[in-house]
Amino acid sequence: MPTVDSLPVEQKVAFRRKSIQVMRDLLQLSALMVLVEDYQKAKDNFFAPAQKIWFMFGGTIKRLESDLGNEIESHINSINSMLDQASPDSSLKNSLDKLNQLMESAVKISDEKI
């Protein structure tokens, strides 16, 4: 099986775009888990994988739209801290909602500019 590094440029671009879309989807699922107050699932099953994708591909968004990338990263860092709390307050939901809005922009930028 080929590695990402050995793929043609078109496939690398497609992989990067799809990864940003998957990140958005994982964050939406994390927000749903927060709504039902299953914070452990929100973090372990959805938020942590989305965060890993950000570590791999967030630089692309930051390069294309630095303000957006920095804002996404700020929300990821604060949400990660909130999910470590036993019983996060309502600011967690608000931050996830804002992050999901930002991710919609990131997906659009990814689709248009990568």
Side-chain angles (χ1 to χ4, degrees):
M1 187 165 161
T3 64
V4 174
D5 291 335
S6 67
L7 295 174
V9 172
E10 299 82 25
Q11 289 180 338
K12 287 181 185 179
V13 168
F15 181 76
R16 188 168 288 143
R17 283 182 182 147
K18 189 62 172 173
S19 295
I20 298 294
Q21 293 168 0
V22 167
M23 180 184 169
R24 175 203 53 201
D25 295 345
L26 287 167
L27 290 170
Q28 288 172 347
L29 291 168
S30 184
L32 287 173
M33 288 294 102
V34 166
L35 281 177
V36 297
E37 298 180 6
D38 193 338
Y39 304 114
Q40 196 64 47
K41 266 192 191 153
K43 181 169 185 166
D44 295 343
N45 295 13
F46 305 111
F47 189 80
Q51 188 176 30
K52 287 178 185 174
I53 292 171
W54 180 256
F55 290 144
M56 288 187 291
F57 299 108
T60 300
I61 299 300
K62 286 173 130 181
R63 182 175 42 81
L64 295 171
E65 296 285 336
S66 63
D67 290 344
L68 175 64
N70 290 332
E71 193 171 357
I72 289 171
E73 191 163 300
S74 175
H75 278 282
I76 286 173
N77 292 336
S78 67
I79 290 167
N80 189 50
S81 295
M82 287 185 254
L83 284 171
D84 283 336
Q85 300 171 4
S87 183
D89 62 23
S90 62
S91 63
L92 173 60
K93 182 190 174 307
N94 295 336
S95 288
L96 275 165
D97 289 345
K98 179 62 178 171
L99 181 56
N100 281 315
Q101 291 172 357
L102 295 169
M103 283 307 301
E104 288 300 326
S105 296
V107 167
K108 185 177 181 193
I109 287 165
S110 169
D111 289 346
E112 292 173 357
K113 295 186 177 182
I114 294 181

